[in-house]
Structures are given as structure tokens and as C-alpha cells.
Amino acid sequence: MTPLSGSSLSAARRARDLTDSVHGDTVDVLVVGLGVTGAGAALDAAARGLRVVAVDAHDLAFGTSRFSSKLVHGGLRYLASGRLDVAHESAVERGILMERTAPHLVHAQPFVLPLTPLVSRGQAALARAGFHAGDTLRLAART
């Protein structure tokens, strides 16, 4: 894929930056994998003034990363698939991130779901049930 005209991002730049980081100055932290955990660890280390090199098999818009949007979701996707134990554990871990480990990185965000005329009443009811289930999950996890 050819980069957009005027963009400085390209495969050649990625290779050059990786070579520079490997053969350049010493780094403090090497992060391998830029999912939500890796991206958060890299940001946290950089915010603390450490020299960070973060590498991934692809770029931030590839694979899982583009779907997760770097969200610390607190277990809702597990709740949707009926994995209640994993959903609860994930919500508890999200609370720890928000309160102790990384309150400067993890914040509650408002969630808007546009229920346009294209959304059936059944789909809207299912969405409402999902929001209520998520609220119940957060209450059970005390987050």
C-alpha cells in the first residue's frame, strides 16, 4: 500500500527508524507489541522521561489494535459472549488501572450509541440490556 501523498509515514521510514533505534543511543524500555497493554506501557514509560522504543509486527492500525482503539474495555466484550468470570476479572483489573496503577492513562469515557431509525426496536432493546448488564458488572466489580 502506498502512503498518502504528503505523509512522512512509509515502510522505508519504519525500517530507517527501527535501524536508528537499534544502532543509536541506549534505550531504557523496549516494548514489543502495541496492543492496549504495550501502548499503555510505552506511553507510561515515555511520560516518566524514559527513552522508549516500541515495536510491533505491523503498525497501530493493523489487526486487533484497529478494533480495540486502545480501549481498556473492562470486560464488556466477554460479557457479550457469556464469559461472566472473565468479564468480572477484567472489570476489576480496569478499576485497578483507573485507581492505582495508571490513573493518568485510564479514564472512564462516555459512551454514545446512536439509535437511528435504521435500528430496530429489538436491536435497541438489546443495546439497552447490554448497557444495564455493563452497569451491573461495574457495580459487582466495585469500579
Side-chain angles (χ1 to χ4, degrees):
M1 175 186 255
T2 305
L4 298 173
S5 63
S7 171
S8 63
L9 300 176
S10 66
R13 177 175 175 196
R14 181 175 181 261
R16 185 179 63 247
D17 288 348
L18 184 57
T19 299
D20 290 347
S21 66
V22 171
H23 298 338
D25 295 332
T26 302
V27 298
D28 300 307
V29 178
L30 171 64
V31 177
V32 179
L34 290 171
V36 67
T37 303
L43 176 61
D44 184 60
R48 295 171 191 265
L50 299 173
R51 289 183 39 88
V52 178
V53 171
V55 295
D56 197 84
H58 301 282
D59 63 33
L60 289 176
F62 185 87
T64 303
S65 296
R66 75 176 158 189
F67 298 116
S68 72
S69 302
K70 306 300 179 239
L71 292 176
V72 179
H73 57 79
L76 293 180
R77 73 178 186 183
Y78 303 120
L79 185 64
S81 63
R83 298 174 63 193
L84 300 179
D85 57 334
V86 179
H88 183 268
E89 180 182 358
S90 182
V92 169
E93 291 298 322
R94 178 177 170 264
I96 292 169
L97 285 169
M98 290 175 70
E99 295 170 9
R100 283 185 267 158
T101 307
H104 58 294
L105 297 175
V106 181
H107 307 279
Q109 297 292 315
F111 195 95
V112 177
L113 184 62
L115 298 177
T116 67
L118 297 175
V119 177
S120 72
R121 286 185 179 178
Q123 290 170 321
L126 186 60
R128 269 189 221 86
F131 279 116
H132 289 301
D135 290 341
T136 302
L137 175 69
R138 285 188 293 280
L139 286 171
R142 296 189 174 135
T143 60

